[in-house]
């Protein structure tokens, strides 16, 4: 795999589309009144503010990783990217979508819908381990292992020393 090119999109589009569909369906079901007993009325405005912050954070992370950092160019060149957004999270694009979907679900202020971000997180972790992390390990070896020890897979955080 040392010379093999990595896919620009990987498994991302399928994951993102599935999460988007589940988010929209969940919110639609909530809006029909079916999940009425799970609505958290006392925190509605706090949920709107918190959800909006999640969405804005996700959009910012996505714009930085994709547009400003131009990640597709580095992937096409076959580089292991560890700077910029990739210095705080190994999968900033997936993290961005996870934040956006979670924000939408928080805004819906329904306790039952908050199960979905947990499902998204677990499925993303499994998906990454089975696909992209294997590809990157085969291609970059020890450099990738060293990078993984410093940077979280999904939750953005500042580098560990």
């Amino acid at each position: 795999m040392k010379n093999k090119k990595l896919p620009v999109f990987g498994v991302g589009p399928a994951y993102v589309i599935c999460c988007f569909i589940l988010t929209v369906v969940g919110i639609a079901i909530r809006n029909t009144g079916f999940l009425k007993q799970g609505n958290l009325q006392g925190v509605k405005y706090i949920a709107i503010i918190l959800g909006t912050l999640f969405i804005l954070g996700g959009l910012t992370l996505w714009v930085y990783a994709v547009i400003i950092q131009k990640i597709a160019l580095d992937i096409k060149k076959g580089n292991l990217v560890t700077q910029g957004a990739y210095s705080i999270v190994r999968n900033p694009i997936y993290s961005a979508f996870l934040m956006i979907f979670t924000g939408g679900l928080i805004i819906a202020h329904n306790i039952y819908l908050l199960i979905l971000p947990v499902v998204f997180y677990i499925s993303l972790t499994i998906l990454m381990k089975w696909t992209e992390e294997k590809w990157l390990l085969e291609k970059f070896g020890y450099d990738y292992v060293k990078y993984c020890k410093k940077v979280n897979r999904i939750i953005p955080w500042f580098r560990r020393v």
Side-chain angles (χ1 to χ4, degrees):
M1 179 96 172
K2 288 283 182 189
N3 295 323
K4 187 175 180 186
K5 291 190 176 198
L6 295 171
V8 173
F9 294 107
V11 295
Y15 169 78
V16 170
I17 289 168
C18 289
C19 291
F20 175 75
I21 290 169
L22 287 171
T23 299
V24 170
V25 168
I27 293 171
I29 289 171
R30 179 233 175 241
N31 289 344
T32 65
F34 184 71
L35 300 175
K36 189 176 181 179
Q37 64 276 17
N39 289 343
L40 302 168
Q41 293 303 328
V43 297
K44 179 179 179 180
Y45 297 108
I46 293 170
I48 291 170
I49 292 168
L50 184 61
T52 301
L53 291 174
F54 264 77
I55 292 170
L56 291 174
L59 289 171
T60 302
L61 184 59
W62 187 89
V63 166
Y64 188 79
V66 174
I67 296 173
I68 295 171
Q69 200 164 341
K70 299 177 184 172
I71 186 60
L73 297 175
D74 282 309
I75 292 171
K76 288 178 183 175
K77 291 178 186 175
N79 298 332
L80 175 62
V81 182
T82 61
Q83 300 302 314
Y86 292 81
S87 69
I88 59 168
V89 64
R90 292 196 312 256
N91 301 287
I93 298 168
Y94 296 126
S95 298
F97 281 109
L98 181 62
M99 291 170 70
I100 292 165
F101 299 143
T102 300
L105 293 165
I106 290 172
I107 288 172
H109 63 279
N110 185 288
I111 193 74
Y112 300 131
L113 292 181
L114 296 181
I115 293 167
L116 286 175
V118 175
V119 170
F120 298 162
Y121 175 85
I122 292 169
S123 61
L124 182 57
T125 298
I126 293 167
L127 192 63
M128 291 296 95
K129 284 185 170 195
W130 286 354
T131 60
E132 293 182 19
E133 288 184 4
K134 282 185 178 182
W135 304 337
L136 292 166
L137 183 58
E138 286 179 29
K139 182 164 177 66
F140 298 109
Y142 179 71
D143 288 340
Y144 184 67
V145 171
K146 197 167 61 173
Y147 171 60
C148 289
K149 289 181 181 179
K150 293 180 184 177
V151 180
N152 289 335
R153 177 182 291 120
I154 300 168
I155 300 173
W157 202 255
F158 296 102
R159 283 185 184 248
R160 296 181 208 126
V161 179

